[in-house]
Amino acid sequence: MDDAGWLALACDLATLCPPSRTAFSVGAVIVGADGREIARGHSREADPHDHAEEAAIAKSGGVLAGATVYSSLEPCGNRASRPRPCAELIVAAGARRVVFAWREPSLFVAGTGAEILAAAGVELVELPELADAAREPNAHLLAG
């Protein structure tokens, strides 16, 4: 599968999230350098405070050297519910690339994940053609 296919899967995973008025619904897939899926996750999967990337990293064992993280939303750079934002978790795990569909709107916190990842040398790829699919499970937050 190519970047668009993996990212479309991440966007589909976001639809599995229990809706929240205080957090985005996000899906994430981690793919190894060999092109095989390592793990996947979605927001609020096992805990009301889980972020998608965090859930997927936890399932992966946390060592992602050379991996690509596909996330429907730009990984968070600020976080109210946990001490480390997803961008820092991704850097610490050693992923080399992050592919995302939608830049985080500053509805809850400022979207600074891309800057944190870029500063750490992680390659960023934004596929805005999938942004509508990433926004769809979040329509209740964006209305009005």
Side-chain angles (χ1 to χ4, degrees):
M1 212 167 2
D2 63 3
D3 283 347
W6 287 114
L7 188 55
L9 174 58
C11 291
D12 288 345
L13 290 170
T15 67
L16 301 176
C17 301
S20 171
R21 298 283 325 152
T22 59
F24 290 110
S25 293
V26 180
V29 181
I30 301 171
V31 177
D34 63 359
R36 295 182 190 190
E37 181 178 329
I38 295 171
R40 61 175 68 184
H42 62 273
S43 302
R44 299 173 294 287
E45 184 173 339
D47 178 280
H49 298 293
D50 282 348
H51 283 198
E53 303 92 337
E54 173 185 43
I57 290 170
K59 291 177 195 171
S60 75
V63 179
L64 305 179
T68 298
V69 176
Y70 294 89
S71 181
S72 59
L73 180 69
E74 170 189 4
C76 68
N78 292 297
R79 187 143 182 203
S81 62
R82 300 259 166 91
R84 293 183 79 190
C86 292
E88 288 181 12
L89 295 174
I90 290 167
V91 169
R96 67 176 175 86
R97 295 176 75 230
V98 171
V99 180
F100 65 97
W102 181 32
R103 293 246 173 201
E104 183 174 9
S106 52
L107 184 61
F108 303 116
V109 297
T112 60
E115 289 81 3
I116 290 168
L117 292 163
V122 175
E123 178 188 348
L124 293 171
V125 178
E126 184 175 358
L127 298 180
E129 61 270 24
L130 290 171
D132 285 346
R135 280 190 286 270
E136 186 175 320
N138 296 288
H140 65 288
L141 298 171
L142 305 172

